[in-house]
Each structure stands twice: as C-alpha cells, then as structure tokens.
Amino acid sequence: METQPDKEILVSIVKHQMPFGKYKGFKLCDLPIHYLEWFANKVFPEGKLGMQMRTVYEIKLNGLEDIILQLKHTIQ
C-alpha cells in the first residue's frame, strides 16, 4: 500500500519560516540542503519544527523538490 504525503505538513513547510539561527526568516522549504544535513548529523529540533525540517530534508535528499515548487505556485 502506497502512503500519501500529509498535505498539511507540506503546506506548512512552504508557509512557515525558520525561527532561529543563520537562516532565521527563511521559509522552511528554502533552507539549503547543507544546513539540513548538519541537523541530520546532529539532531533536529524537537516537535513540529523538527518534523517539518526532516520532511524538507527528505524531499531534497530524494530529489523531490518539484513537490515544493508546485506547492509554492499553488499557495502564492
């Protein structure tokens, strides 16, 4: 059985901004892969933000950025 991505999570990574650090104010979906890799090698934040960042990381890591691009065009 194939699982579908949670649309709410995908929309949230396009709408919400990074609340701290070097990329504070960047949309989560616009965080660079090297920044997400750093967190993946250390530890993602707890809670919803960590889950959102892990989702962006997995999307970018697997070359699925078209999902983000389509959502950006739909939401904006």
Side-chain angles (χ1 to χ4, degrees):
M1 180 167 82
E2 187 175 318
T3 59
Q4 295 294 317
D6 185 333
K7 291 177 186 175
E8 183 178 316
I9 294 169
L10 295 175
V11 169
S12 75
I13 64 174
V14 172
K15 287 185 171 183
H16 294 123
Q17 297 179 352
M18 186 66 182
F20 62 84
K22 182 177 182 177
Y23 294 98
K24 180 178 180 176
F26 279 61
K27 299 286 186 186
L28 295 175
C29 64
D30 294 332
L31 294 173
I33 189 73
H34 67 84
Y35 189 65
L36 296 165
E37 286 172 342
W38 184 86
F39 277 100
N41 289 324
K42 300 292 182 187
V43 64
F44 283 104
E46 295 280 326
K48 185 175 180 179
L49 177 61
M51 181 267 308
Q52 291 167 317
M53 290 174 70
R54 276 190 299 277
T55 301
V56 175
Y57 176 64
E58 288 297 326
I59 287 170
K60 291 185 175 199
L61 184 66
N62 290 294
L64 300 172
E65 292 178 275
D66 284 348
I67 294 170
I68 293 172
L69 293 174
Q70 290 173 2
L71 270 173
K72 280 181 163 182
H73 292 299
T74 303
I75 291 172
Q76 294 176 6

